[in-house]
Amino acid sequence: MENVHLAVEEEDLYSGYNDYNPTFDSEELENDVGFQQAVRTSHGRRPPMTAKFPGTAIGGRPLVSSFGSRIPMASSMGRPMTGAVQDGAARPMTAVRAAGYSSSLMRGSTFDPLGQSKGPAPPLEAKNEDTAEEKIKILEKKVNDLIEESCMAQSIGAFQLALEKAKEAGRKERALIRQREASGNTEHINLDLTYSGEVIKQGSNMTTVAASISTQLHRQYEQRKAVLLNLANQYANNEMYPEALNSYHVIVKNKMFTNAGRLKVNMANIYFEQKNYPKAIKFYRMALDQISNTHKELRIKIMQNIGVVFVRLGQYSDAITSFEHIMTESPNIKTGFNLILCYYAVGDRERMKKAFQKLISVPLGIDDEDKYIPASDDPSSNMVIEAIKNDKLHQMERDLKVLAEKYIMTAAKLIAPAIETSFASGFDWCVDMVKCSQYVELANDLEINKAITYLRQKDFNQAVETLKTFEKKDSRVKSAAATNLSFLYFLEKDYDQADRYADLAMNADRYNPAALINKGNTVFVKKDYEKAAEFYKEALRNDSSCTEALFNLGLSYERLNRLEEGLDCFLKLHSILRSSAEVMYQLAHLYEQLGDPQQAIEWLMQVISATPTDPHVLAKLGKLHDDEGDKSQAFQYYSESFRYFPSNIDVIEWLGAYYIETQFCEKAIQYFERATLIQPNYVKWQLIVASCYRRSGNYQKALETYKEIHRRFPENVECLRFLVRLSTDMGLKEVQEYATKLKKVEKMKELREQRVKSGRENSARGRREGSTGSAGEYSGRSSSSSSKGERLSAKMRSLPGSNEPYEASSPKELDASYVDPLGPQMDRPKTGAKKPADDDDFADEDLGDELLPE
């Protein structure tokens, strides 16, 4: 029976497929009242499960076995499984409804899974800017933008514009506060605008409402602080110090503003600018107390400011204390130099030496220059070196090194006369110290500065000896020393030695523009302008910014009468040296030579704007206006020139002539009297003074002046003629005396002229006959002797005989005529003169009663 199998009914594999389950009927859900009620009450969410099924986690998630397969479970809605478990593998569940498939397709509807047949999406709702929240955000953005614009204007130097933007930001920020108060919503406070860079970051995991409100309150205070800080900074930049201090006080006194104590440094800086040094020290110390030791660099800078204020107050011991502490904690070049200055002020020699040693031992923290020299043939590395050779970092390093060398050189020149008994020994000590430091190359520069100091002390021999010691040193130092020697000899007008040392400097360093300029100068004074121009051009090729070479090149072109080229040189130089009066004067001079007086006047006006008290430029302007016929402008500039330099004869003569021309001889007298003081042996000025007295009607003063001129210059013919004429007009008895003197002087003048004339003729005749040999020589001697006899006989004939009076030999009429040195006097306009009584046409006629006055 065990092997007997009973026949059973086989299961139908296709049974159950046509069975209908109303649970899956989704087309009738719209008519299902219970379902619609559930959707309205639970917002479309399925109610939570209350029963736990085996193999299901608490959250309804199927459990996973250790092999990673899910355990099949029944649906929470009672939906049967669609597949059986075969070989332990779970068949995936199928969708309840196919994507986009519906039986309604059979009724004529189109296939539209994305719902595109419904038309475009409705437009987005417009942002409502009328709400209080939106208005607050807009105002906050405006405040931020104004602060940014103010800072940008400050960065380009437009301080007035920056201040205007800061004030506008303040007004907007106050409007923002009023908007917040009107809305009554304290949650929208933004404190992010007032103290840029000082906002404290809040944690990102703030979840409570209280923490959120605290953060926004903090942002609002920071916004307020940023507005006030920017406004205070712009007030300070525009030197409106009281307003700046008021703004800083508002920030500092508010406890809600974090790190506001640092602003006491800014307030101390303002007090320093106002020269209120005690209050500056007070605020610096207050700021120092509020800054922790972790900010070491900031504390060092504040202490350095305190030391500088003590120096301004003259309290050098307190300043030394601050500087010594800085040099102990964090030494730097500037503080070391200030410490040397303080020791120099108190006269402490030993401490000056120690401070100088500390100064030259301060590390700069920059790389060696050898790093920028290509060490291999690798093109990539060479490109990198070329790229970093002139970058911002390398420029900063160079500037720092130049600044350090400047401080060391200045300190050495300052303390050299004070640390030893003599200047030379003190400078030698500084040179020895520098040679043992990292600034070895400065030793030679110090030696050259030693020679320059000798020059300033007028000790030329020591300067020359010091410079001559560099002849055997390296080429750079030798070239510098030879250049200075050439310049010294050039100033002493020893042009041969100047030329020699200029050649030595050029041989040591052909690319030294100063040596080429000195060489060109030595050639220039020899009037070889073409060669000088070549040296100046070579100097410009070596250094295109060499203004001395460009200036001298323009002068060379001017001497060569190449005026256009010279004008180009000075125009280029003017683009480099915009305020150089010498360059502008040369431009005016060239335009005058080119026949363009208007351009010359314009350039001279620019010279006057740079040097308004230059009398020679003012006189030049007067001359140009006079040449143009503008007498009033010429008079103005000549008067200004006379006011600044009353010893210019040309200006004095023009002003005197101007007053004589305008019939103000009394005013002309003071100018010509000054001319007589400047040139007392020049009779012309004294004659003009006397003539001015005569023209103004003061004949007595004119007579006294002529008498004084005759006493000093008894042989002056013009003076005697004036005396004869005045004495005759005034009826004086000295007329005959002056007439006799005039006759004698005229006769002596004639004899003198004859002697000069005969001497010229004899010399010319001797030169002509000297080329005819011995016979000519003999005849020349006889002729000379004969002419000598003729002159002697003529002289004898001119003398009076023994029986004759002095005047009688050849009676001659006295020439008492004269010529006025001021020119002919202008005719006085005629007035109506009264006729003689005999000429009256109405003398014999009776006047009627009707013609008589009532």
Side-chain angles (χ1 to χ4, degrees):
M1 291 298 294
E2 294 177 357
N3 298 324
V4 175
H5 296 280
L6 297 176
V8 294
E9 185 179 1
E10 292 184 1
E11 184 179 0
D12 188 4
L13 295 177
Y14 300 98
S15 60
Y17 279 100
N18 293 325
D19 295 340
Y20 177 75
N21 191 345
T23 306
F24 302 116
D25 188 3
S26 59
E27 295 180 352
E28 299 296 327
L29 289 178
E30 295 179 359
N31 301 322
D32 192 341
V33 179
F35 178 78
Q36 293 297 330
Q37 182 66 29
V39 169
R40 281 194 296 270
T41 56
S42 61
H43 301 283
R45 289 179 295 179
R46 184 176 296 178
M49 298 176 60
T50 57
K52 302 298 185 293
F53 297 94
T56 304
I58 295 175
R61 183 180 179 183
L63 296 176
V64 181
S65 66
S66 59
F67 295 97
S69 60
R70 297 181 185 271
I71 301 174
M73 67 174 184
S75 173
S76 60
M77 299 295 294
R79 176 174 177 265
M81 303 289 292
T82 56
V85 178
Q86 298 177 358
D87 299 332
R91 179 170 178 248
M93 296 173 64
T94 60
V96 174
R97 179 180 177 184
Y101 175 77
S102 175
S103 60
S104 60
L105 291 173
M106 302 301 295
R107 294 191 294 267
S109 63
T110 59
F111 178 74
D112 187 16
L114 300 179
Q116 297 178 358
S117 61
K118 297 179 181 179
L124 297 176
E125 294 183 1
K127 188 176 181 180
N128 189 5
E129 296 183 358
D130 295 334
T131 63
E133 181 180 356
E134 291 300 327
K135 290 181 179 179
I136 289 173
K137 288 182 179 179
I138 292 172
L139 283 175
E140 285 180 358
K141 187 177 184 305
K142 288 182 180 179
V143 173
N144 280 322
D145 293 341
L146 287 170
I147 293 175
E148 185 176 352
E149 292 174 5
S150 176
C151 295
M152 293 299 295
Q154 177 189 350
S155 65
I156 61 175
F159 297 128
Q160 186 63 36
L161 178 61
L163 178 59
E164 293 175 0
K165 294 293 183 181
K167 288 181 178 179
E168 189 176 356
R171 290 191 293 268
K172 294 290 184 182
E173 197 266 342
R174 287 190 292 273
L176 177 60
I177 292 175
R178 290 193 297 269
Q179 182 68 27
R180 290 197 186 102
E181 292 175 352
S183 64
N185 189 358
T186 59
E187 295 185 5
H188 297 291
I189 298 172
N190 186 352
L191 309 174
D192 206 14
L193 302 179
T194 320
Y195 195 34
S196 54
E198 294 293 339
V199 179
I200 297 179
K201 302 296 182 182
Q202 299 293 331
S204 59
N205 55 352
M206 296 289 184
T207 56
T208 62
V209 176
S212 176
I213 294 176
S214 175
T215 303
Q216 295 198 18
L217 284 171
H218 179 74
R219 289 179 59 208
Q220 180 181 9
Y221 282 111
E222 292 301 329
Q223 180 184 23
R224 177 65 176 160
K225 197 191 303 181
V227 173
L228 290 174
L229 177 60
N230 183 57
L231 183 61
N233 289 338
Q234 304 313 326
Y235 277 135
N237 291 333
N238 286 273
E239 298 182 359
M240 301 170 67
Y241 297 129
E243 293 85 351
L245 288 173
N246 290 336
S247 299
Y248 282 129
H249 275 298
V250 172
I251 301 174
V252 171
K253 289 181 180 180
N254 197 327
K255 302 300 182 182
M256 293 297 296
F257 295 157
T258 57
N259 298 326
R262 297 186 181 184
L263 299 182
K264 288 185 172 63
V265 177
N266 294 9
M267 300 173 71
N269 292 339
I270 292 176
Y271 286 124
F272 181 84
E273 293 293 334
Q274 292 178 332
K275 294 182 172 51
N276 191 352
Y277 300 126
K279 210 157 189 178
I281 292 176
K282 174 184 176 182
F283 274 83
Y284 279 134
R285 286 178 171 170
M286 291 170 63
L288 197 64
D289 294 338
Q290 296 184 9
I291 295 174
S292 62
N293 293 328
T294 56
H295 301 88
K296 181 180 178 181
E297 185 176 355
L298 181 58
R299 291 177 61 87
I300 290 295
K301 290 181 179 179
I302 295 175
M303 291 191 68
Q304 188 171 350
N305 289 357
I306 292 173
V308 172
V309 177
F310 277 129
V311 171
R312 293 294 181 91
L313 289 172
Q315 301 177 13
Y316 299 111
S317 58
D318 296 329
I320 288 171
T321 303
S322 298
F323 292 143
E324 284 181 342
H325 176 75
I326 296 172
M327 292 300 289
T328 303
E329 295 293 330
S330 177
N332 60 80
I333 291 291
K334 188 178 291 186
T335 304
F337 180 74
N338 290 337
L339 185 59
I340 291 176
L341 293 180
C342 292
Y343 286 141
Y344 179 82
V346 299
D348 195 334
R349 293 186 177 183
E350 294 301 322
R351 288 191 173 183
M352 273 191 275
K353 290 184 177 180
K354 293 180 180 178
F356 186 77
Q357 291 174 348
K358 288 182 180 179
L359 178 64
I360 61 179
S361 62
V362 172
L364 295 180
I366 61 178
D367 295 330
D368 192 5
E369 289 292 331
D370 295 339
K371 182 181 74 173
Y372 301 101
I373 300 175
S376 63
D377 296 333
D378 186 8
S380 60
S381 61
N382 292 341
M383 288 178 62
V384 173
I385 291 174
E386 286 295 328
I388 66 175
K389 186 180 292 185
N390 292 315
D391 62 353
K392 295 292 185 181
L393 179 59
H394 193 202
Q395 291 177 8
M396 185 186 71
E397 291 177 349
R398 282 200 298 260
D399 294 341
L400 181 60
K401 188 175 181 181
V402 169
L403 181 64
E405 292 176 353
K406 176 185 175 182
Y407 281 135
I408 292 171
M409 294 283 290
T410 307
K413 290 186 287 186
L414 177 68
I415 68 174
I419 58 177
E420 298 291 344
T421 56
S422 67
F423 158 76
S425 57
F427 226 109
D428 291 338
W429 181 87
C430 293
V431 171
D432 294 337
M433 291 295 103
V434 170
K435 286 181 179 178
C436 300
S437 68
Q438 57 182 329
Y439 304 97
V440 181
E441 64 275 5
L442 276 183
N444 293 325
D445 295 335
L446 283 172
E447 289 281 359
I448 293 178
N449 274 276
K450 179 182 175 182
I452 295 174
T453 308
Y454 278 130
L455 288 177
R456 290 173 179 166
Q457 295 176 353
K458 309 296 183 183
D459 193 350
F460 297 103
N461 295 327
Q462 284 290 336
V464 171
E465 290 298 324
T466 304
L467 290 172
K468 285 182 178 180
T469 59
F470 291 95
E471 292 184 7
K472 296 182 180 179
K473 294 192 177 181
D474 64 303
S475 60
R476 185 185 67 85
V477 180
K478 184 194 296 185
S479 179
T483 301
N484 288 329
L485 282 170
S486 175
F487 180 69
L488 283 176
Y489 284 121
F490 186 84
L491 293 179
E492 293 178 352
K493 297 185 179 180
D494 189 353
Y495 300 124
D496 294 332
Q497 287 291 333
D499 186 59
R500 172 176 171 267
Y501 279 101
D503 289 333
L504 183 62
M506 289 169 55
N507 294 332
D509 184 6
R510 186 72 185 188
Y511 297 98
N512 184 1
L516 292 166
I517 291 172
N518 286 343
K519 179 64 177 177
N521 292 343
T522 58
V523 178
F524 187 92
V525 295
K526 297 176 183 177
K527 298 184 179 180
D528 190 354
Y529 304 121
E530 285 285 355
K531 195 171 182 180
E534 292 300 323
F535 283 112
Y536 297 141
K537 288 178 183 178
E538 186 176 355
L540 285 172
R541 286 194 295 269
N542 294 338
D543 183 7
S544 59
S545 63
C546 186
T547 56
E548 295 86 356
L550 194 56
F551 188 91
N552 293 347
L553 182 61
L555 292 180
S556 300
Y557 284 141
E558 182 183 352
R559 297 294 192 281
L560 293 169
N561 203 25
R562 294 156 63 176
L563 302 180
E564 293 292 342
E565 297 180 47
L567 189 65
D568 290 339
C569 290
F570 285 113
L571 286 173
K572 291 177 183 177
L573 192 57
H574 178 66
S575 64
I576 301 172
L577 306 174
R578 303 293 298 180
S579 59
S580 174
E582 293 85 358
V583 177
M584 290 186 283
Y585 184 83
Q586 290 297 329
L587 285 167
H589 183 60
L590 285 170
Y591 275 117
E592 183 185 6
Q593 289 181 305
L594 288 169
D596 192 350
Q598 292 299 325
Q599 281 288 338
I601 290 173
E602 289 182 9
W603 281 106
L604 286 176
M605 292 299 295
Q606 294 189 38
V607 176
I608 289 300
S609 65
T611 55
T613 59
D614 192 327
H616 300 290
V617 178
L618 290 167
K620 189 74 172 177
L621 270 171
K623 180 180 179 302
L624 288 173
H625 282 292
D626 188 24
D627 294 341
E628 291 293 304
D630 192 351
K631 292 287 185 182
S632 60
Q633 283 290 334
F635 173 73
Q636 177 184 350
Y637 287 116
Y638 273 122
S639 300
E640 287 293 311
S641 176
F642 178 78
R643 185 165 68 91
Y644 292 117
F645 183 55
S647 300
N648 191 332
I649 290 295
D650 296 332
V651 174
I652 291 172
E653 184 178 10
W654 191 94
L655 288 171
Y658 175 80
Y659 280 117
I660 290 172
E661 184 180 351
T662 55
Q663 300 298 311
F664 290 101
C665 296
E666 299 87 351
K667 293 185 178 181
I669 292 173
Q670 59 176 336
Y671 293 103
F672 291 117
E673 285 181 343
R674 182 173 290 276
T676 61
L677 295 175
I678 299 170
Q679 294 179 343
N681 296 324
Y682 195 45
V683 70
K684 173 185 175 182
W685 308 125
Q686 301 183 37
L687 288 172
I688 294 177
V689 171
S691 184
C692 287
Y693 280 124
R694 183 175 55 79
R695 284 197 173 191
S696 61
N698 193 348
Y699 297 107
Q700 186 63 37
K701 189 69 175 177
L703 181 62
E704 292 176 1
T705 307
Y706 281 127
K707 287 181 178 180
E708 179 65 22
I709 295 171
H710 177 65
R711 187 184 64 81
R712 297 186 59 190
F713 305 96
E715 295 183 357
N716 188 273
V717 178
E718 297 295 329
C719 178
L720 287 170
R721 288 177 179 172
F722 282 121
L723 281 171
V724 171
R725 179 63 183 270
L726 277 175
S727 299
T728 303
D729 293 343
M730 297 176 69
L732 301 177
K733 60 183 179 179
E734 294 95 343
V735 176
Q736 186 62 32
E737 177 187 354
Y738 291 132
T740 303
K741 290 182 178 180
L742 177 61
K743 185 176 181 180
K744 289 181 180 179
V745 170
E746 286 180 341
K747 188 171 290 187
M748 291 175 61
K749 184 178 179 182
E750 289 178 1
L751 291 174
R752 193 178 296 115
E753 290 176 353
Q754 288 178 3
R755 192 180 302 118
V756 171
K757 183 178 180 181
S758 61
R760 290 175 180 172
E761 291 176 353
N762 292 333
S763 61
R765 189 182 301 114
R767 285 195 299 270
R768 287 195 303 269
E769 295 175 354
S771 60
T772 60
S774 58
E777 184 179 353
Y778 179 78
S779 64
R781 284 197 298 270
S782 62
S783 137
S784 176
S785 60
S786 63
S787 64
K788 185 175 181 181
E790 290 174 0
R791 289 198 307 273
L792 183 59
S793 62
K795 185 175 182 181
M796 292 299 292
R797 285 195 303 270
S798 65
L799 294 176
S802 56
N803 300 325
E804 297 174 352
Y806 185 79
E807 302 90 354
S809 61
S810 57
K812 183 179 179 182
E813 186 180 355
L814 180 65
D815 184 12
S817 62
Y818 65 96
V819 178
D820 195 338
L822 300 182
Q825 193 168 7
M826 295 181 64
D827 294 335
R828 179 173 176 269
K830 295 181 179 181
T831 59
K834 183 178 181 181
K835 291 184 179 181
D838 296 339
D839 297 335
D840 192 355
D841 297 335
F842 302 97
D844 297 334
E845 297 182 6
D846 295 333
L847 297 176
D849 294 338
E850 68 276 3
L851 298 178
L852 295 177
E854 295 179 359

